[in-house]
Amino acid sequence: MARIPPPVATIRTAVRRALGPSGSVLVACSGGADSLALAAATAFVAPRLGIRAGLVTVDHGLQDGSAARAAAVAEWGRSVGLDPVEVATVDVGGRPGGPEAAARDARYEALSSAAERNTAGTVLLGHTRDDQAETVLLALARGGGPRGLSGMPFRKGVFVRPLLDVTRADTRKACAALGLAAWDDPHNADPAYTRARVRADALPALIAALGPAVVANLARTAALVAADVDYLDAAAAEALAAVRTPAGLPVPALAALPAAIRSRVLHAWAKELGAPGSALAHRHVVALDALVTAWHGQGPTSLPDGIVVGRREGHLVRVAL
């Protein structure tokens, strides 16, 4: 029996561990090496576990030939037995944020819709250890705090990232071993995009200065911080449930909370009021905290989406203007 190349075996093992007892899965596949290796491994592993596996490729319409490329990825998916196979065409224009954020939001919406439409409990994403290291560096540069440093979660809702412990080099080697022609997205090398600059310049400079282990160390940092963040978030959810009253959030109870818990309580409460998470920034939480810990009669503070919070009779409350 032919020996399975180590990179192929590594990725199949990662997929097998990620699938578990799931009835139906979809693989998000752009045709790049990471997602192509993931899709090939899923096509091999899923039937052996009695799991139905399909593929979704998203056409963002941002490059010439994107529709033909998406169709080719879909055709390949069918040829290896993935079913169902879909091409999801999205409109990126007119969305808030930069082009990277707009494309990402459109892509996740399309993948979520595909999962719901096909009753798939899991959508597999091809992010690798290198992607995780880049995410941590970006969070450091942006002052993202613990939540940013925790990187991309292994699982969030229907989305699962089996390859967070697999290197990008191994996905390329796996594709080569399987005879798969991966597509190189020109956006990944375009210096107009922040992540592309991190990939081409910042991370290689760190590797040159500190050694190749820096990628694994950054990814491990994300995993360690994520465990702490999960614990603190759970504690904050309990604290929010304990302190809330029909009148609002009582200031003395908030002031008694440790700062790490109080900031999370205020963040979660702001989202409950309707502040979109994508627009809710650290400065908004700091302003809410000042109403608790540094109040000297100042007026209300404004949150995204026109939400205003003030201090009334010892409580934080939403204020109608």
Side-chain angles (χ1 to χ4, degrees):
M1 184 171 63
R3 181 172 177 268
I4 301 173
V8 175
T10 295
I11 295 171
R12 287 178 179 175
T13 298
V15 169
R16 189 175 294 110
R17 289 172 177 168
L19 288 181
S22 177
S24 179
V25 302
L26 293 174
V27 186
C29 184
S30 66
D34 303 337
S35 61
L36 197 60
L38 175 62
T42 304
F44 179 86
V45 170
R48 289 162 175 78
L49 297 178
I51 295 172
R52 184 187 184 200
L55 177 148
V56 179
T57 185
V58 179
D59 176 13
H60 300 87
L62 297 176
Q63 300 170 7
D64 291 340
S66 64
R69 186 165 51 252
V73 171
E75 182 179 357
W76 171 83
R78 295 185 188 98
S79 75
V80 296
L82 293 170
D83 178 56
V85 171
E86 290 190 9
V87 174
T89 302
V90 299
D91 182 7
V92 176
R95 291 174 178 266
E100 289 175 286
R104 182 181 62 247
D105 290 347
R107 180 167 60 254
Y108 279 100
E109 287 176 12
L111 294 173
S112 295
S113 296
E116 184 176 356
R117 190 165 50 251
N118 292 286
T119 62
T122 301
V123 178
L124 302 181
L125 306 176
H127 298 112
T128 65
R129 180 188 294 172
D130 301 72
D131 294 306
Q132 187 74 298
E134 292 162 7
T135 299
V136 173
L137 280 181
L138 285 166
L140 279 169
R142 294 166 175 165
R147 193 177 304 276
L149 294 181
S150 66
M152 296 176 288
F154 173 78
R155 183 183 302 274
K156 185 175 182 179
V158 300
F159 296 108
V160 175
R161 298 177 172 89
L163 306 186
L164 288 181
D165 284 330
V166 176
T167 67
R168 187 175 294 143
D170 273 347
T171 66
R172 291 189 174 277
K173 290 175 183 176
C175 287
L178 295 171
L180 301 176
W183 170 63
D184 286 321
D185 185 349
H187 282 172
N188 290 336
D190 186 344
Y193 296 97
T194 305
R195 183 175 286 271
R197 296 195 298 274
V198 169
R199 182 171 299 179
D201 301 321
L203 191 54
L206 277 178
I207 293 171
L210 303 175
V214 71
V215 173
N217 290 341
L218 286 168
R220 183 165 56 251
T221 295
L224 292 171
V225 176
D228 292 348
V229 168
D230 287 345
Y231 176 82
L232 290 169
D233 285 349
E238 292 179 1
L240 177 55
V243 303
R244 72 165 80 245
T245 73
L249 299 187
V251 169
L254 290 173
L257 295 173
I261 300 298
R262 185 174 59 249
S263 65
R264 285 171 166 79
V265 166
L266 294 172
H267 186 275
W269 184 62
K271 290 178 68 175
E272 284 186 5
L273 295 179
S278 59
L280 190 60
H282 175 67
R283 61 185 175 86
H284 297 121
V285 178
V286 168
L288 288 176
D289 194 63
L291 294 175
V292 177
T293 62
W295 191 63
H296 46 78
Q298 70 264 36
T301 188
S302 296
L303 301 178
D305 239 24
I307 296 166
V308 180
V309 172
R311 179 164 165 159
R312 299 289 185 271
E313 298 180 355
H315 289 74
L316 295 192
V317 300
R318 182 169 183 171
V319 178
L321 297 182

